[in-house]
């Protein structure tokens, strides 16, 4: 499957909403139960990009968005400001074709360039394909929370994985690299 990656834009929200809606309705990657509408997805997009986090899409050869990925704050307390959480969602026809790995690889590069030091994956349903793609890019297992979600009438586990970015834990970033005002007190 031929595809390209690019920055997401507001024009992509309908496609992003469709991809995410399918995941909410049919998958366990998200523990969301009610499908959010385009207005809600626009708000989420604007919040993420408004805080200068990367948000990218994959397009097929016909220009159709087949997947997207973004990084966002893991938690909003300022001590977490060097840690990002990744999120990746794919259209059904893009799964198992290298699109997810390409999106994740690009997201890792962009977050490293922005000076983040750690990336965490919070994998709903302990989804084997998601775990595999994260391992293939260097993530390590941090643990599994058993029965953390209830969806489709069954208990689901959540797997946490982590990847050091850039210098990781080898140094402490200079003060003021990321203003505390972006992350709360």
């Amino acid at each position: 499957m031929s595809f390209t990656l690019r920055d997401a834009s507001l024009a992509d929200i309908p496609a992003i909403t469709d991809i995410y809606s399918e995941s909410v309705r049919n998958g366990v990657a998200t523990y969301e139960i009610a499908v959010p509408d385009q207005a809600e997805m626009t708000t989420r997009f604007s919040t993420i990009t408004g805080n200068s986090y990367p948000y990218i899409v994959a397009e097929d050869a016909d220009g159709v968005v087949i997947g997207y990925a973004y990084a966002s704050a893991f938690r909003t307390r300022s001590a977490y400001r060097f840690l990002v959480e990744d999120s990746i969602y794919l259209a059904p026809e893009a799964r198992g074709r290298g699109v997810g790995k390409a999106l994740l690889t690009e997201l890792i590069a962009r977050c490293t360039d922005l000076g983040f030091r750690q990336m965490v994956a919070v994998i709903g349903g302990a989804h084997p394909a998601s775990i595999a793609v994260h391992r293939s890019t260097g993530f390590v297992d941090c643990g599994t929370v058993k029965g953390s979600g209830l969806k489709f009438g069954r208990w689901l586990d959540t797997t946490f994985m982590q990847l050091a970015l850039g210098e990781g834990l080898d140094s402490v970033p200079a003060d003021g690299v990321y203003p505390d005002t972006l992350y709360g007190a």
Side-chain angles (χ1 to χ4, degrees), residues 136-151:
S136 75
T137 57
F139 280 74
V140 295
D141 296 319
C142 294
T144 298
V145 181
K146 300 288 185 184
S148 54
L150 179 65
K151 190 171 181 182

PDB file of all heavy atoms in Angstrom, residues 136-151:
ATOM      1  N   SER A 136       8.457  -2.876  17.992  1.00  0.00           N
ATOM      2  CA  SER A 136       9.299  -2.793  16.794  1.00  0.00           C
ATOM      3  C   SER A 136       9.997  -1.440  16.657  1.00  0.00           C
ATOM      4  O   SER A 136      10.968  -1.326  15.914  1.00  0.00           O
ATOM      5  CB  SER A 136       8.471  -3.074  15.538  1.00  0.00           C
ATOM      6  OG  SER A 136       7.654  -1.972  15.201  1.00  0.00           O
ATOM      7  N   THR A 137       9.519  -0.441  17.378  1.00  0.00           N
ATOM      8  CA  THR A 137      10.154   0.881  17.342  1.00  0.00           C
ATOM      9  C   THR A 137      10.949   1.164  18.617  1.00  0.00           C
ATOM     10  O   THR A 137      11.375   2.302  18.827  1.00  0.00           O
ATOM     11  CB  THR A 137       9.117   1.994  17.102  1.00  0.00           C
ATOM     12  OG1 THR A 137       8.119   1.941  18.116  1.00  0.00           O
ATOM     13  CG2 THR A 137       8.481   1.868  15.733  1.00  0.00           C
ATOM     14  N   GLY A 138      11.137   0.149  19.462  1.00  0.00           N
ATOM     15  CA  GLY A 138      12.008   0.287  20.621  1.00  0.00           C
ATOM     16  C   GLY A 138      11.321   0.462  21.959  1.00  0.00           C
ATOM     17  O   GLY A 138      12.000   0.570  22.989  1.00  0.00           O
ATOM     18  N   PHE A 139      10.009   0.500  21.999  1.00  0.00           N
ATOM     19  CA  PHE A 139       9.311   0.616  23.281  1.00  0.00           C
ATOM     20  C   PHE A 139       9.542  -0.634  24.115  1.00  0.00           C
ATOM     21  O   PHE A 139       9.691  -1.732  23.581  1.00  0.00           O
ATOM     22  CB  PHE A 139       7.799   0.778  23.060  1.00  0.00           C
ATOM     23  CG  PHE A 139       7.347   2.158  22.700  1.00  0.00           C
ATOM     24  CD1 PHE A 139       7.578   2.669  21.435  1.00  0.00           C
ATOM     25  CD2 PHE A 139       6.668   2.947  23.619  1.00  0.00           C
ATOM     26  CE1 PHE A 139       7.148   3.942  21.081  1.00  0.00           C
ATOM     27  CE2 PHE A 139       6.235   4.216  23.284  1.00  0.00           C
ATOM     28  CZ  PHE A 139       6.476   4.715  22.014  1.00  0.00           C
ATOM     29  N   VAL A 140       9.556  -0.451  25.434  1.00  0.00           N
ATOM     30  CA  VAL A 140       9.676  -1.566  26.372  1.00  0.00           C
ATOM     31  C   VAL A 140       8.421  -1.618  27.242  1.00  0.00           C
ATOM     32  O   VAL A 140       7.757  -0.606  27.468  1.00  0.00           O
ATOM     33  CB  VAL A 140      10.937  -1.442  27.261  1.00  0.00           C
ATOM     34  CG1 VAL A 140      12.196  -1.541  26.412  1.00  0.00           C
ATOM     35  CG2 VAL A 140      10.932  -0.162  28.070  1.00  0.00           C
ATOM     36  N   ASP A 141       8.128  -2.803  27.713  1.00  0.00           N
ATOM     37  CA  ASP A 141       6.959  -3.004  28.563  1.00  0.00           C
ATOM     38  C   ASP A 141       7.162  -2.359  29.928  1.00  0.00           C
ATOM     39  O   ASP A 141       8.251  -2.452  30.507  1.00  0.00           O
ATOM     40  CB  ASP A 141       6.698  -4.503  28.766  1.00  0.00           C
ATOM     41  CG  ASP A 141       6.340  -5.205  27.469  1.00  0.00           C
ATOM     42  OD1 ASP A 141       5.578  -4.637  26.675  1.00  0.00           O
ATOM     43  OD2 ASP A 141       6.829  -6.334  27.265  1.00  0.00           O
ATOM     44  N   CYS A 142       6.127  -1.718  30.413  1.00  0.00           N
ATOM     45  CA  CYS A 142       6.147  -1.122  31.753  1.00  0.00           C
ATOM     46  C   CYS A 142       5.179  -1.811  32.693  1.00  0.00           C
ATOM     47  O   CYS A 142       5.270  -1.653  33.899  1.00  0.00           O
ATOM     48  CB  CYS A 142       5.780   0.366  31.691  1.00  0.00           C
ATOM     49  SG  CYS A 142       6.980   1.349  30.817  1.00  0.00           S
ATOM     50  N   GLY A 143       4.221  -2.528  32.142  1.00  0.00           N
ATOM     51  CA  GLY A 143       3.265  -3.236  32.977  1.00  0.00           C
ATOM     52  C   GLY A 143       1.888  -3.259  32.359  1.00  0.00           C
ATOM     53  O   GLY A 143       1.606  -2.574  31.379  1.00  0.00           O
ATOM     54  N   THR A 144       1.045  -4.062  32.970  1.00  0.00           N
ATOM     55  CA  THR A 144      -0.335  -4.204  32.510  1.00  0.00           C
ATOM     56  C   THR A 144      -1.265  -4.023  33.694  1.00  0.00           C
ATOM     57  O   THR A 144      -1.036  -4.596  34.763  1.00  0.00           O
ATOM     58  CB  THR A 144      -0.550  -5.591  31.867  1.00  0.00           C
ATOM     59  OG1 THR A 144       0.303  -5.687  30.722  1.00  0.00           O
ATOM     60  CG2 THR A 144      -1.998  -5.794  31.436  1.00  0.00           C
ATOM     61  N   VAL A 145      -2.288  -3.220  33.487  1.00  0.00           N
ATOM     62  CA  VAL A 145      -3.326  -3.023  34.497  1.00  0.00           C
ATOM     63  C   VAL A 145      -4.482  -3.928  34.095  1.00  0.00           C
ATOM     64  O   VAL A 145      -5.120  -3.717  33.052  1.00  0.00           O
ATOM     65  CB  VAL A 145      -3.782  -1.545  34.565  1.00  0.00           C
ATOM     66  CG1 VAL A 145      -4.845  -1.371  35.627  1.00  0.00           C
ATOM     67  CG2 VAL A 145      -2.592  -0.632  34.819  1.00  0.00           C
ATOM     68  N   LYS A 146      -4.723  -4.946  34.888  1.00  0.00           N
ATOM     69  CA  LYS A 146      -5.757  -5.939  34.592  1.00  0.00           C
ATOM     70  C   LYS A 146      -7.145  -5.355  34.843  1.00  0.00           C
ATOM     71  O   LYS A 146      -7.360  -4.630  35.811  1.00  0.00           O
ATOM     72  CB  LYS A 146      -5.576  -7.187  35.462  1.00  0.00           C
ATOM     73  CG  LYS A 146      -4.247  -7.877  35.281  1.00  0.00           C
ATOM     74  CD  LYS A 146      -4.197  -8.573  33.959  1.00  0.00           C
ATOM     75  CE  LYS A 146      -2.923  -9.378  33.816  1.00  0.00           C
ATOM     76  NZ  LYS A 146      -2.820  -9.984  32.509  1.00  0.00           N
ATOM     77  N   GLY A 147      -8.057  -5.666  33.948  1.00  0.00           N
ATOM     78  CA  GLY A 147      -9.454  -5.282  34.125  1.00  0.00           C
ATOM     79  C   GLY A 147      -9.668  -3.794  34.291  1.00  0.00           C
ATOM     80  O   GLY A 147     -10.532  -3.368  35.053  1.00  0.00           O
ATOM     81  N   SER A 148      -8.918  -2.986  33.564  1.00  0.00           N
ATOM     82  CA  SER A 148      -8.990  -1.532  33.732  1.00  0.00           C
ATOM     83  C   SER A 148     -10.141  -0.901  32.968  1.00  0.00           C
ATOM     84  O   SER A 148     -10.517   0.237  33.234  1.00  0.00           O
ATOM     85  CB  SER A 148      -7.677  -0.896  33.286  1.00  0.00           C
ATOM     86  OG  SER A 148      -7.374  -1.308  31.966  1.00  0.00           O
ATOM     87  N   GLY A 149     -10.693  -1.606  32.003  1.00  0.00           N
ATOM     88  CA  GLY A 149     -11.806  -1.085  31.223  1.00  0.00           C
ATOM     89  C   GLY A 149     -12.862  -2.150  31.023  1.00  0.00           C
ATOM     90  O   GLY A 149     -12.557  -3.343  31.013  1.00  0.00           O
ATOM     91  N   LEU A 150     -14.096  -1.707  30.870  1.00  0.00           N
ATOM     92  CA  LEU A 150     -15.211  -2.615  30.593  1.00  0.00           C
ATOM     93  C   LEU A 150     -15.880  -2.125  29.319  1.00  0.00           C
ATOM     94  O   LEU A 150     -16.441  -1.025  29.289  1.00  0.00           O
ATOM     95  CB  LEU A 150     -16.211  -2.631  31.756  1.00  0.00           C
ATOM     96  CG  LEU A 150     -17.437  -3.525  31.576  1.00  0.00           C
ATOM     97  CD1 LEU A 150     -17.028  -4.997  31.500  1.00  0.00           C
ATOM     98  CD2 LEU A 150     -18.417  -3.309  32.722  1.00  0.00           C
ATOM     99  N   LYS A 151     -15.761  -2.907  28.267  1.00  0.00           N
ATOM    100  CA  LYS A 151     -16.342  -2.545  26.981  1.00  0.00           C
ATOM    101  C   LYS A 151     -16.799  -3.823  26.297  1.00  0.00           C
ATOM    102  O   LYS A 151     -16.134  -4.848  26.395  1.00  0.00           O
ATOM    103  CB  LYS A 151     -15.302  -1.796  26.124  1.00  0.00           C
ATOM    104  CG  LYS A 151     -15.863  -1.169  24.867  1.00  0.00           C
ATOM    105  CD  LYS A 151     -14.827  -0.270  24.183  1.00  0.00           C
ATOM    106  CE  LYS A 151     -15.430   0.363  22.930  1.00  0.00           C
ATOM    107  NZ  LYS A 151     -14.448   1.207  22.226  1.00  0.00           N
TER     108      LYS A 151
END
